[in-house]
C-alpha cells in the first residue's frame, strides 16, 4: 500500500549514496502474496479504509473480537456459492480468501479448494483474524494498564534507535 513511500526513499538513498558514498541501505518493498491489499468487507471493489463513512467494511486492530466476527460473517459475497479466487469475477469471495490466506500463511487459491460453502469460509476467516488480533489486544491492554512500564519500554526502544541512527547520521554528515 505504501509502495510510493518506499520508492521515494529508495531514490533519495541512491542519489545520496552516489554522491557521497555508501551511507544508506537501499530499501526494498516486500509485497506479500496474500493480503497485500485488503478490500472493504461491504464494498470489495474498494480498499479497506478507516476513512469510510460506514464502519461495517473495516476491521480495527483494537475492535472487540465479537464485532470482527460479525463483520466478517456479514461480508459481501455473491449469490452463486462458488468459492473461487478471482478478484475480477468474485471480488467479495476473493477478498475473504485473501484475508484468510494472509492470516494463515497460505495461498488464497489453495485455501479456496478447501471450502464448499460461504458460511464455512466466513467462519474460518473470522477465526483466523481473531486468532491474530487477540494477542495484540491482550498485549495492548497490558501496556495500557501499566503506563510506567510502557514508558520504560519506549525509552529502551528510543535508546536502541538513537544508537543505530546516530551511526548513520555520522556517516551522512
Amino acid at each position: 500500500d505504501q509502495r510510493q513511500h518506499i520508492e521515494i526513499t529508495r531514490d533519495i538513498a541512491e542519489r545520496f549514496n552516489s554522491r557521497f558514498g555508501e551511507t544508506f541501505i537501499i530499501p526494498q518493498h516486500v509485497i506479500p502474496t496474500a493480503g497485500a491489499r485488503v478490500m472493504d468487507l461491504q464494498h470489495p471493489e474498494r480498499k479497506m479504509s478507516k476513512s469510510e463513512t460506514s464502519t461495517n467494511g473495516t476491521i480495527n486492530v483494537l475492535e472487540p473480537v465479537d464485532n470482527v466476527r460479525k463483520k466478517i460473517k456479514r461480508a459481501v459475497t455473491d449469490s452463486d456459492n462458488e468459492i473461487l479466487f478471482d478478484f475480477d469475477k468474485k471480488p467479495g469471495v476473493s477478498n475473504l480468501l485473501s484475508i484468510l490466506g494472509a492470516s494463515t500463511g497460505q495461498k488464497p487459491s489453495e485455501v479456496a479448494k478447501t471450502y464448499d460453502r460461504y458460511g464455512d469460509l466466513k467462519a474460518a476467516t473470522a477465526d483466523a483474524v481473531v486468532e491474530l488480533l487477540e494477542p495484540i489486544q491482550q498485549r495492548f491492554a497490558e501496556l495500557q494498564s501499566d503506563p510506567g512500564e510502557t514508558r520504560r519500554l519506549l525509552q529502551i526502544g528510543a535508546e536502541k534507535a538513537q544508537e543505530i541512527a546516530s551511526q548513520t547520521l555520522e556517516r551522512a554528515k
Side-chain angles (χ1 to χ4, degrees):
D1 180 42
Q2 302 300 321
R3 184 185 309 193
Q4 65 272 24
H5 298 129
I6 297 294
E7 289 174 2
I8 194 168
T9 304
R10 184 176 50 235
D11 290 346
I12 292 167
E14 286 173 346
R15 283 184 194 168
F16 191 97
N17 287 354
S18 71
R19 282 191 185 161
F20 304 108
E22 292 301 311
T23 305
F24 297 111
I25 296 170
I26 307 300
Q28 301 294 321
H29 65 272
V30 177
I31 301 173
T33 56
R37 288 192 70 182
V38 178
M39 309 308 277
D40 190 285
L41 295 172
Q42 293 301 306
H43 303 281
E45 68 284 353
R46 298 191 307 231
K47 192 178 87 158
M48 189 180 283
S49 172
K50 61 185 177 219
S51 62
E52 283 291 323
T53 54
S54 170
T55 60
N56 292 327
T58 59
I59 296 171
N60 296 306
V61 175
L62 298 176
E63 185 167 352
V65 294
D66 289 342
N67 290 4
V68 172
R69 286 184 191 284
K70 286 177 190 172
K71 287 180 179 183
I72 292 173
K73 288 182 180 179
R74 293 178 184 158
V76 169
T77 51
D78 54 44
S79 59
D80 73 7
N81 293 324
E82 180 185 19
I83 297 180
L84 173 71
F85 184 67
D86 183 337
F87 267 105
D88 292 330
K89 294 179 184 174
K90 302 181 85 53
V93 174
S94 297
N95 190 37
L96 290 171
L97 290 167
S98 186
I99 293 168
L100 180 56
S103 299
T104 60
Q106 299 174 289
K107 291 182 179 180
S109 56
E110 293 300 315
V111 174
K113 297 175 186 174
T114 61
Y115 294 95
D116 296 323
R117 298 178 347 174
Y118 289 165
D120 295 339
L121 172 62
K122 289 178 178 184
T125 303
D127 289 343
V129 170
V130 165
E131 189 175 326
L132 283 176
L133 292 179
E134 282 180 325
I136 295 168
Q137 291 179 358
Q138 288 170 357
R139 182 64 175 143
F140 181 84
E142 289 169 13
L143 292 170
Q144 191 175 38
S145 71
D146 189 352
E149 175 65 1
T150 302
R151 277 192 296 279
R152 186 186 75 77
L153 293 172
L154 287 171
Q155 184 61 38
I156 290 170
E159 289 169 3
K160 286 181 183 178
Q162 179 64 36
E163 184 179 323
I164 294 166
S166 66
Q167 293 171 9
T168 304
L169 184 60
E170 275 304 309
R171 286 195 315 269
K173 287 180 179 179

